[in-house]
Amino acid sequence: MTDDNDMSDRKHGVAIPARLVPFPASVSPEARASLARLVSEEGEPLNASYTMPLPEDHAGWMAVKAVADGQYATAVKGLAGTLRSSVETIQNGDVTIHVATPETMLKADFAYIDFHGGALVFGGGDACRAQARMQADQHGAVCYGVDYRMPPEHPYPAALDDAMAAYRHVLKSHVPSRIIVGGRSAGGNLAAAMLLRAKAEALPMPAGLILLSPQVDLTESGDSFQVNRTVDVVLPGSLMRNNLLYAGGADLSHPYLSPLFGDLTGLPPTFLQSGTRDLFLSNTVRMHRALRRDGVDAELHVFEGMPHGGFMGNTPEDRDLAEEIFRFVSRISGEASR
């Protein structure tokens, strides 16, 4: 019989010997190739070589942001000729909004509000503008890409203030039942936090919410932050330095910073996505359970072998995800029009 005192003195965890985690044979060849491109010959995730500055090192953060902006610019150039929607950039107070209009309008009077990813620090500017066009093309609806302010120049609550300003702006020209709010990664944080604050300020809820591998727990308390560490080749480790920089001294567990811990009652039907190799898998599955407990219609899609952010967009799995999102948006927009 085991003594309880002996158990309390032990470390409660699982010791795992060094081993190679193979790329799964259960995903498409294209997906396996995508994973392989992000790993060195020695099996180390290439993204693991990047170290974020300390939260107080603002000069260091500006240097990292400059490098990231260059990488985003290269990616945007690669999209040249593939985007069909037109785009106009407007300023509404402090927030910049990229309004993309599809070449073929499939959902009249409908609006998609999009919050870009980028670990709460990167991904604005031209990358945000291009993403708005991609969403407009995908959904056949006007997309409002929110180019929210970010640290180190603008810590919390600047981004959330911008999100609220953008939502109020869209509400002036679209009825709530014809609006869907979505975000990937850090954008999922802002999308969910914005709706919590909108509820507190008695604003109407939109027709639906889309959370793609959302960064909804800045305390990083979930299981996958340990289990999928380095297994996720896109996001191999903690973003705590980003989180602390973003929070600017605010409590990371506050629902406006970590929406997972908020009262989710009254939020609209929600689509959530993650992958079995996603560092944010626990964020996503816990958010799904929290939404369900609070009576929200929520559906969860977990893709085999998928790391954070998907397989770079050109695999059967990525296309499957895009089709599921389109189906969800079509269902919500159809129900809203009845």
Side-chain angles (χ1 to χ4, degrees), residues 162-234:
D162 289 353
M164 289 298 297
Y167 189 48
R168 291 180 185 276
H169 173 79
V170 175
L171 283 171
K172 291 178 182 178
S173 53
H174 299 272
V175 296
S177 62
R178 302 295 290 169
I179 298 172
I180 282 186
V181 175
R184 182 186 297 274
S185 192
N189 177 297
L190 282 169
M194 183 199 75
L195 293 190
L196 289 179
R197 185 166 149 187
K199 184 176 69 167
E201 296 182 13
L203 291 177
M205 289 292 101
L209 173 64
I210 295 175
L211 301 176
L212 307 177
S213 185
Q215 193 178 0
V216 288
D217 175 14
L218 298 194
T219 72
E220 299 190 346
S221 60
D223 183 50
S224 62
F225 282 97
Q226 300 301 322
V227 175
N228 282 350
R229 181 163 52 89
T230 71
V231 175
D232 186 338
V233 296
V234 173

Side-chain angles (χ1 to χ4, degrees), residues 19-27 32 35-36 39 231 233 277 304-305:
R19 60 192 174 96
L20 179 71
V21 180
F23 301 134
S26 51
V27 299
R32 289 198 300 276
L35 293 173
V39 175
V231 175
V233 296
R277 294 194 174 206
E304 171 74 353

Side-chain angles (χ1 to χ4, degrees), residues 88-112:
E88 174 191 10
T89 298
I90 63 174
Q91 197 72 29
N92 183 52
D94 290 323
V95 62
T96 302
I97 306 173
H98 306 293
V99 185
T101 302
E103 186 177 66
T104 302
M105 187 72 73
L106 301 178
K107 300 178 182 68
D109 302 322
F110 206 81
Y112 190 100

